[in-house]
Amino acid sequence: MRYLYAFLLLVCSTCLVSCLGNMSFHEFKHLQHDEWNWTDTLEYVLSDSTLEGEYECFVSLRLTPDYPFRELWIAAETDLSHPIYIKRDTIRLAFEEESLGIFRKGVNLSQEDCLVGKIPIRKGQTGRIRLYHLMSRETLPCISDVGVWMRR
């Protein structure tokens, strides 16, 4: 019976969280072998179904506790069409040691989110967001997924 209550609490919490916020785009790209090579450009396609307005754009990383650095530099390119909107940014994500996790049993990923900036989107506009890392090391280990999400 105790497990039933725990399960119902989990389902209710998930439903409540999923209904909150104005998230309009959310996509993660899984990296093979949990490595991000400097030649890998991750591309996220924005469809024309997004409502008109100004959106906050975030980059999210899922890291394992063995990630060897305390920061990550990323280049972000946003290209929208009709009308044309182009924006290039350099993003620095700094990690606290505690945020990388201390548990080593089972699967332990921490998720780090960083606000890239605000993007004005007009009705019917489509586009792409491209990400690639700017670190001096060619291959970055211990990065499981890289995602982009936007909210109004």
Side-chain angles (χ1 to χ4, degrees), residues 78-110:
T78 305
D79 296 321
L80 303 177
S81 60
H82 310 295
I84 294 174
Y85 172 87
I86 299 173
K87 184 176 182 182
R88 309 281 188 259
D89 279 320
T90 302
I91 305 162
R92 178 184 175 260
L93 288 98
F95 311 120
E96 302 282 333
E97 188 166 339
E98 299 83 37
S99 72
L100 293 178
I102 56 173
F103 305 106
R104 300 206 182 255
K105 291 182 180 178
V107 176
N108 180 32
L109 297 175
S110 65

Side-chain angles (χ1 to χ4, degrees), residues 46 48 52-53 78-87 119-128:
L46 305 175
D48 62 356
E52 186 169 343
T78 305
D79 296 321
L80 303 177
S81 60
H82 310 295
I84 294 174
Y85 172 87
I86 299 173
K87 184 176 182 182
I119 300 174
I121 295 181
R122 296 197 177 150
K123 186 173 174 64
Q125 211 169 21
T126 61
R128 300 178 189 287

Side-chain angles (χ1 to χ4, degrees), residues 33-148:
H33 310 293
D34 292 345
E35 294 180 338
W36 192 359
N37 193 291
W38 68 277
T39 60
D40 295 337
T41 299
L42 305 176
E43 185 171 87
Y44 305 86
V45 178
L46 305 175
S47 69
D48 62 356
S49 63
T50 306
L51 297 174
E52 186 169 343
E54 187 170 74
Y55 289 82
E56 292 180 317
C57 183
F58 293 84
V59 171
S60 294
L61 298 169
R62 292 182 182 147
L63 306 170
T64 69
D66 297 323
Y67 181 72
F69 305 107
R70 295 292 167 234
E71 65 182 11
L72 175 61
W73 290 86
I74 298 175
E77 302 175 353
T78 305
D79 296 321
L80 303 177
S81 60
H82 310 295
I84 294 174
Y85 172 87
I86 299 173
K87 184 176 182 182
R88 309 281 188 259
D89 279 320
T90 302
I91 305 162
R92 178 184 175 260
L93 288 98
F95 311 120
E96 302 282 333
E97 188 166 339
E98 299 83 37
S99 72
L100 293 178
I102 56 173
F103 305 106
R104 300 206 182 255
K105 291 182 180 178
V107 176
N108 180 32
L109 297 175
S110 65
Q111 181 166 318
E112 303 293 330
D113 300 315
C114 178
L115 176 65
V116 175
K118 295 187 177 186
I119 300 174
I121 295 181
R122 296 197 177 150
K123 186 173 174 64
Q125 211 169 21
T126 61
R128 300 178 189 287
I129 297 174
R130 291 180 197 88
L131 302 175
Y132 51 93
H133 81 76
L134 299 172
M135 302 290 280
S136 60
R137 189 170 180 177
E138 184 175 319
T139 301
L140 299 178
C142 305
I143 301 175
S144 172
D145 304 280
V146 179
V148 170

